[in-house]
Amino acid sequence: QAEDTIVQLASAIEVATLAAERIADQNQEARLRAANAIGRIGARQYAPELLVNLGSEERPRNIAATVVALHRLEHRPALGAIADYGEHSSALVREAVAAALGALGNSSINPVLNRLLHDTDTNVRVAAITSAGRLRDPFFAPALMAILQDTRNMEPRFSAKDRIAVAWAVPRLQPIPQDLMNRLGQHATQPVVASMMGPMVDSPEVMAAAVFAFAEAGGRDPAFADSANRLFTLFAEVASGDRSGSSEEFTGQVRMSPLLTDIARQARSWQAERTIPEPLPAPTRQPNMLYQKIDR
Protein backbone atom coordinates (compact mmCIF):
# COMPACT_ATOMS: atom_id res chain seq x y z
CA GLN A 1 0.00 0.00 0.00
CA ALA A 2 2.84 2.37 0.84
CA GLU A 3 4.46 1.53 -2.47
CA ASP A 4 1.24 2.38 -4.34
CA THR A 5 1.10 5.73 -2.56
CA ILE A 6 4.67 6.53 -3.57
CA VAL A 7 3.89 5.80 -7.20
CA GLN A 8 0.81 8.02 -7.07
CA LEU A 9 2.88 10.90 -5.66
CA ALA A 10 5.55 10.59 -8.33
CA SER A 11 4.22 13.51 -10.38
CA ALA A 12 4.14 15.83 -7.38
CA ILE A 13 7.46 15.15 -5.65
CA GLU A 14 10.86 13.74 -6.57
CA VAL A 15 9.88 10.18 -5.72
CA ALA A 16 12.29 8.65 -8.21
CA THR A 17 15.22 10.46 -6.62
CA LEU A 18 14.20 9.34 -3.16
CA ALA A 19 13.73 5.75 -4.33
CA ALA A 20 17.09 5.78 -6.10
CA GLU A 21 18.79 6.58 -2.81
CA ARG A 22 17.59 3.17 -1.58
CA ILE A 23 18.78 1.08 -4.53
CA ALA A 24 21.86 -0.09 -2.60
CA ASP A 25 20.37 0.28 0.90
CA GLN A 26 21.54 -2.21 3.54
CA ASN A 27 17.92 -3.20 4.17
CA GLN A 28 16.86 -5.73 1.55
CA GLU A 29 13.18 -4.81 1.86
CA ALA A 30 14.03 -1.16 1.17
CA ARG A 31 15.97 -2.22 -1.93
CA LEU A 32 13.03 -4.29 -3.13
CA ARG A 33 10.58 -1.40 -2.72
CA ALA A 34 12.99 0.97 -4.42
CA ALA A 35 13.30 -1.33 -7.45
CA ASN A 36 9.53 -1.75 -7.64
CA ALA A 37 8.89 2.00 -7.39
CA ILE A 38 11.53 2.97 -9.96
CA GLY A 39 10.21 0.39 -12.39
CA ARG A 40 6.59 1.43 -11.96
CA ILE A 41 7.37 5.14 -12.21
CA GLY A 42 9.44 4.56 -15.33
CA ALA A 43 12.52 6.38 -14.08
CA ARG A 44 14.87 5.11 -16.78
CA GLN A 45 17.76 7.29 -15.63
CA TYR A 46 18.26 4.92 -12.70
CA ALA A 47 18.29 1.69 -14.72
CA PRO A 48 22.13 1.53 -14.81
CA GLU A 49 22.23 1.68 -11.00
CA LEU A 50 19.67 -1.10 -10.74
CA LEU A 51 21.74 -3.21 -13.12
CA VAL A 52 24.86 -2.70 -11.03
CA ASN A 53 22.98 -3.67 -7.88
CA LEU A 54 21.45 -6.77 -9.50
CA GLY A 55 24.70 -8.66 -9.20
CA SER A 56 24.83 -8.16 -5.43
CA GLU A 57 21.26 -9.28 -4.71
CA GLU A 58 20.88 -12.72 -3.13
CA ARG A 59 17.25 -12.94 -2.02
CA PRO A 60 15.07 -14.30 -4.87
CA ARG A 61 12.36 -11.68 -4.30
CA ASN A 62 14.91 -8.89 -4.72
CA ILE A 63 16.46 -10.44 -7.81
CA ALA A 64 13.03 -10.87 -9.39
CA ALA A 65 11.97 -7.31 -8.49
CA THR A 66 15.13 -5.86 -10.04
CA VAL A 67 14.69 -7.92 -13.20
CA VAL A 68 11.06 -6.79 -13.46
CA ALA A 69 12.12 -3.16 -13.01
CA LEU A 70 14.78 -3.42 -15.72
CA HIS A 71 12.16 -5.04 -17.94
CA ARG A 72 9.71 -2.19 -17.33
CA LEU A 73 12.43 0.37 -17.98
CA GLU A 74 13.33 -1.41 -21.25
CA HIS A 75 17.00 -1.34 -20.30
CA ARG A 76 18.50 -3.46 -23.07
CA PRO A 77 22.08 -3.37 -21.70
CA ALA A 78 20.74 -5.61 -18.91
CA LEU A 79 19.88 -8.43 -21.32
CA GLY A 80 23.00 -10.51 -20.72
CA ALA A 81 22.88 -10.17 -16.94
CA ILE A 82 19.20 -11.07 -16.87
CA ALA A 83 19.70 -14.11 -19.10
CA ASP A 84 22.34 -15.39 -16.68
CA TYR A 85 19.57 -15.93 -14.12
CA GLY A 86 17.68 -18.26 -16.45
CA GLU A 87 18.68 -21.30 -14.43
CA HIS A 88 18.17 -19.78 -10.98
CA SER A 89 16.75 -22.16 -8.37
CA SER A 90 13.79 -19.85 -7.68
CA ALA A 91 10.79 -20.10 -10.03
CA LEU A 92 9.95 -16.50 -9.14
CA VAL A 93 13.27 -15.36 -10.59
CA ARG A 94 13.00 -17.59 -13.67
CA GLU A 95 9.50 -16.26 -14.39
CA ALA A 96 10.75 -12.66 -14.23
CA VAL A 97 13.64 -13.59 -16.52
CA ALA A 98 11.34 -15.33 -19.01
CA ALA A 99 9.08 -12.28 -19.23
CA ALA A 100 11.97 -9.83 -19.53
CA LEU A 101 13.63 -11.73 -22.36
CA GLY A 102 10.56 -11.22 -24.53
CA ALA A 103 10.75 -7.46 -24.09
CA LEU A 104 14.52 -6.98 -24.22
CA GLY A 105 15.72 -9.99 -26.17
CA ASN A 106 17.11 -10.82 -29.55
CA SER A 107 18.27 -14.06 -31.14
CA SER A 108 21.25 -14.25 -28.78
CA ILE A 109 18.99 -15.34 -25.91
CA ASN A 110 17.01 -17.92 -27.90
CA PRO A 111 18.70 -20.92 -26.22
CA VAL A 112 17.94 -19.53 -22.75
CA LEU A 113 14.30 -18.85 -23.57
CA ASN A 114 13.93 -22.20 -25.33
CA ARG A 115 15.10 -23.91 -22.13
CA LEU A 116 12.57 -21.94 -20.09
CA LEU A 117 9.81 -23.19 -22.40
CA HIS A 118 10.42 -26.59 -20.81
CA ASP A 119 10.68 -25.36 -17.22
CA THR A 120 9.15 -27.43 -14.42
CA ASP A 121 7.04 -24.46 -13.25
CA THR A 122 3.85 -23.56 -15.15
CA ASN A 123 4.13 -19.80 -14.59
CA VAL A 124 7.68 -19.80 -15.90
CA ARG A 125 6.65 -21.72 -19.02
CA VAL A 126 3.69 -19.44 -19.71
CA ALA A 127 5.93 -16.36 -19.40
CA ALA A 128 8.46 -17.97 -21.74
CA ILE A 129 5.80 -18.94 -24.30
CA THR A 130 4.43 -15.40 -24.26
CA SER A 131 7.94 -14.02 -24.77
CA ALA A 132 8.48 -16.37 -27.71
CA GLY A 133 5.40 -14.83 -29.29
CA ARG A 134 6.63 -11.31 -28.58
CA LEU A 135 9.99 -12.05 -30.20
CA ARG A 136 8.18 -13.49 -33.25
CA ASP A 137 11.06 -15.83 -34.01
CA PRO A 138 10.14 -19.15 -35.70
CA PHE A 139 13.13 -20.64 -33.89
CA PHE A 140 10.66 -21.49 -31.12
CA ALA A 141 8.17 -23.30 -33.37
CA PRO A 142 9.44 -26.85 -32.62
CA ALA A 143 9.20 -26.29 -28.86
CA LEU A 144 5.70 -24.84 -29.20
CA MET A 145 4.63 -27.83 -31.28
CA ALA A 146 6.02 -30.20 -28.64
CA ILE A 147 3.86 -28.50 -26.02
CA LEU A 148 0.71 -28.95 -28.11
CA GLN A 149 1.51 -32.55 -28.98
CA ASP A 150 2.15 -33.45 -25.36
CA THR A 151 -1.60 -34.09 -25.01
CA ARG A 152 -0.96 -37.48 -26.60
CA ASN A 153 0.65 -38.62 -23.35
CA MET A 154 -1.37 -40.08 -20.48
CA GLU A 155 0.79 -38.09 -18.04
CA PRO A 156 1.51 -34.85 -19.92
CA ARG A 157 4.23 -32.47 -18.81
CA PHE A 158 2.33 -29.42 -20.00
CA SER A 159 -1.02 -27.99 -18.93
CA ALA A 160 -4.01 -26.27 -20.51
CA LYS A 161 -2.44 -22.95 -19.44
CA ASP A 162 0.57 -23.77 -21.60
CA ARG A 163 -1.60 -24.54 -24.62
CA ILE A 164 -3.58 -21.33 -24.18
CA ALA A 165 -0.31 -19.38 -24.18
CA VAL A 166 0.88 -21.26 -27.28
CA ALA A 167 -2.36 -20.30 -29.06
CA TRP A 168 -1.54 -16.66 -28.27
CA ALA A 169 2.08 -16.96 -29.42
CA VAL A 170 1.79 -18.93 -32.66
CA PRO A 171 0.02 -16.32 -34.84
CA ARG A 172 2.63 -13.77 -33.79
CA LEU A 173 5.56 -15.73 -35.21
CA GLN A 174 6.91 -14.44 -38.52
CA PRO A 175 6.20 -16.22 -40.75
CA ILE A 176 3.24 -17.98 -39.10
CA PRO A 177 4.00 -21.74 -39.20
CA GLN A 178 1.31 -23.61 -41.12
CA ASP A 179 1.90 -26.86 -39.20
CA LEU A 180 1.30 -25.14 -35.87
CA MET A 181 -1.91 -23.56 -37.15
CA ASN A 182 -3.03 -26.98 -38.37
CA ARG A 183 -2.41 -28.38 -34.91
CA LEU A 184 -4.36 -25.55 -33.27
CA GLY A 185 -7.20 -26.34 -35.65
CA GLN A 186 -7.22 -29.87 -34.26
CA HIS A 187 -7.37 -28.53 -30.70
CA ALA A 188 -10.40 -26.46 -31.68
CA THR A 189 -12.31 -29.26 -33.39
CA GLN A 190 -11.00 -32.73 -32.57
CA PRO A 191 -10.44 -35.03 -29.58
CA VAL A 192 -6.71 -34.64 -29.00
CA VAL A 193 -6.28 -35.20 -25.27
CA ALA A 194 -5.36 -38.73 -24.21
CA SER A 195 -7.39 -40.32 -21.43
CA MET A 196 -8.23 -43.75 -20.01
CA MET A 197 -11.49 -43.63 -21.99
CA GLY A 198 -9.84 -42.66 -25.25
CA PRO A 199 -9.16 -39.28 -26.88
CA MET A 200 -11.15 -36.36 -25.49
CA VAL A 201 -11.60 -32.78 -26.66
CA ASP A 202 -9.44 -30.13 -25.04
CA SER A 203 -10.78 -27.76 -22.39
CA PRO A 204 -13.20 -25.04 -23.55
CA GLU A 205 -10.60 -22.42 -22.68
CA VAL A 206 -8.00 -24.03 -24.96
CA MET A 207 -10.56 -24.49 -27.74
CA ALA A 208 -11.52 -20.82 -27.45
CA ALA A 209 -7.87 -19.76 -27.52
CA ALA A 210 -7.30 -21.89 -30.63
CA VAL A 211 -10.27 -20.24 -32.37
CA PHE A 212 -8.87 -16.81 -31.52
CA ALA A 213 -5.47 -17.90 -32.84
CA PHE A 214 -7.07 -18.25 -36.26
CA ALA A 215 -8.64 -14.81 -35.91
CA GLU A 216 -5.26 -13.33 -35.01
CA ALA A 217 -3.49 -15.17 -37.83
CA GLY A 218 -6.13 -14.13 -40.35
CA GLY A 219 -5.85 -10.51 -39.26
CA ARG A 220 -2.06 -10.51 -39.51
CA ASP A 221 -1.62 -12.61 -42.67
CA PRO A 222 -4.30 -12.71 -45.41
CA ALA A 223 -3.15 -16.24 -46.27
CA PHE A 224 -4.89 -17.47 -43.11
CA ALA A 225 -8.08 -15.42 -43.45
CA ASP A 226 -10.00 -18.04 -45.43
CA SER A 227 -9.09 -20.82 -42.99
CA ALA A 228 -10.21 -18.65 -40.10
CA ASN A 229 -13.55 -17.90 -41.73
CA ARG A 230 -14.11 -21.59 -42.47
CA LEU A 231 -13.49 -22.39 -38.82
CA PHE A 232 -15.89 -19.69 -37.65
CA THR A 233 -18.51 -20.95 -40.12
CA LEU A 234 -18.08 -24.50 -38.86
CA PHE A 235 -19.05 -23.51 -35.31
CA ALA A 236 -22.05 -21.58 -36.62
CA GLU A 237 -23.15 -24.60 -38.66
CA VAL A 238 -22.77 -26.93 -35.71
CA ALA A 239 -25.03 -24.65 -33.71
CA SER A 240 -27.68 -24.61 -36.44
CA GLY A 241 -27.36 -28.30 -37.33
CA ASP A 242 -26.56 -27.47 -40.96
CA ARG A 243 -23.15 -28.76 -42.07
CA SER A 244 -23.84 -28.36 -45.78
CA GLY A 245 -21.29 -25.59 -46.22
CA SER A 246 -18.46 -27.20 -44.26
CA SER A 247 -15.12 -27.81 -45.89
CA GLU A 248 -12.86 -30.79 -45.36
CA GLU A 249 -10.22 -28.65 -43.67
CA PHE A 250 -11.80 -29.01 -40.24
CA THR A 251 -13.24 -32.50 -40.06
CA GLY A 252 -13.46 -32.99 -36.31
CA GLN A 253 -16.57 -33.79 -34.36
CA VAL A 254 -17.11 -30.32 -32.96
CA ARG A 255 -18.85 -30.34 -29.61
CA MET A 256 -22.15 -28.50 -29.54
CA SER A 257 -21.52 -25.58 -27.21
CA PRO A 258 -23.25 -22.19 -27.06
CA LEU A 259 -20.09 -20.85 -25.44
CA LEU A 260 -17.77 -21.92 -28.28
CA THR A 261 -20.27 -20.84 -30.94
CA ASP A 262 -20.29 -17.36 -29.46
CA ILE A 263 -16.51 -17.39 -29.11
CA ALA A 264 -16.30 -18.03 -32.85
CA ARG A 265 -18.65 -15.08 -33.45
CA GLN A 266 -16.46 -12.86 -31.30
CA ALA A 267 -13.32 -14.14 -33.02
CA ARG A 268 -14.75 -13.34 -36.46
CA SER A 269 -15.31 -9.76 -35.30
CA TRP A 270 -11.79 -9.58 -33.89
CA GLN A 271 -10.28 -10.69 -37.20
CA ALA A 272 -12.31 -8.22 -39.25
CA GLU A 273 -12.49 -5.17 -37.03
CA ARG A 274 -10.18 -5.75 -34.03
CA THR A 275 -13.17 -5.29 -31.73
CA ILE A 276 -14.92 -7.76 -29.44
CA PRO A 277 -18.73 -7.67 -29.40
CA GLU A 278 -20.67 -8.23 -26.23
CA PRO A 279 -21.47 -11.90 -25.52
CA LEU A 280 -24.89 -13.08 -26.62
CA PRO A 281 -27.36 -14.30 -24.00
CA ALA A 282 -27.06 -18.08 -23.70
CA PRO A 283 -27.93 -20.94 -21.35
CA THR A 284 -24.36 -20.82 -20.05
CA ARG A 285 -22.41 -17.77 -19.07
CA GLN A 286 -20.46 -16.45 -22.03
CA PRO A 287 -16.97 -14.98 -21.63
CA ASN A 288 -16.17 -11.73 -23.32
CA MET A 289 -12.69 -12.46 -24.68
CA LEU A 290 -11.12 -9.06 -24.05
CA TYR A 291 -8.41 -9.86 -26.52
CA GLN A 292 -7.51 -6.31 -27.40
CA LYS A 293 -6.60 -5.66 -23.75
CA ILE A 294 -3.87 -8.30 -23.74
CA ASP A 295 -2.66 -7.73 -27.27
CA ARG A 296 0.58 -5.78 -27.27
Side-chain angles (χ1 to χ4, degrees), residues 6-52:
I6 289 174
V7 172
Q8 293 169 6
L9 292 172
S11 61
I13 60 176
E14 291 295 323
V15 170
T17 302
L18 296 175
E21 293 175 357
R22 301 293 184 180
I23 288 177
D25 196 277
Q26 291 186 351
N27 185 296
Q28 59 185 3
E29 195 65 24
R31 297 196 304 273
L32 183 146
R33 299 303 174 190
N36 285 344
I38 290 170
R40 293 176 63 183
I41 293 169
R44 295 187 178 186
Q45 66 271 31
Y46 297 114
E49 292 182 45
L50 285 173
L51 178 55
V52 170

Side-chain angles (χ1 to χ4, degrees), residues 233-258:
T233 299
L234 173 61
F235 278 98
E237 290 176 344
V238 169
S240 67
D242 176 14
R243 296 291 296 275
S244 59
S246 295
S247 69
E248 297 182 357
E249 182 176 1
F250 302 106
T251 57
Q253 298 176 349
V254 179
R255 179 173 57 178
M256 177 58 183
S257 165

Side-chain angles (χ1 to χ4, degrees), residues 67 71 82 85-86 92-103 109 112-113 116-117 123-132 135:
V67 169
H71 171 185
I82 290 174
Y85 286 94
L92 184 67
V93 172
R94 298 196 307 275
E95 180 183 357
V97 169
L101 295 183
I109 55 82
V112 178
L113 190 57
L116 291 170
L117 289 172
N123 291 334
V124 175
R125 294 194 305 269
V126 169
I129 294 167
T130 303
S131 284
L135 291 174

Side-chain angles (χ1 to χ4, degrees), residues 32-34 41 52 65 87 89 117-118 124 146 168 182-183 199 211 213 220 253 263 266 269 273 282:
L32 183 146
R33 299 303 174 190
I41 293 169
V52 170
E87 295 187 69
S89 60
L117 289 172
H118 299 85
V124 175
W168 185 90
N182 292 344
R183 178 68 189 184
V211 170
R220 289 173 179 266
Q253 298 176 349
I263 289 296
Q266 295 179 45
S269 177
E273 303 173 6

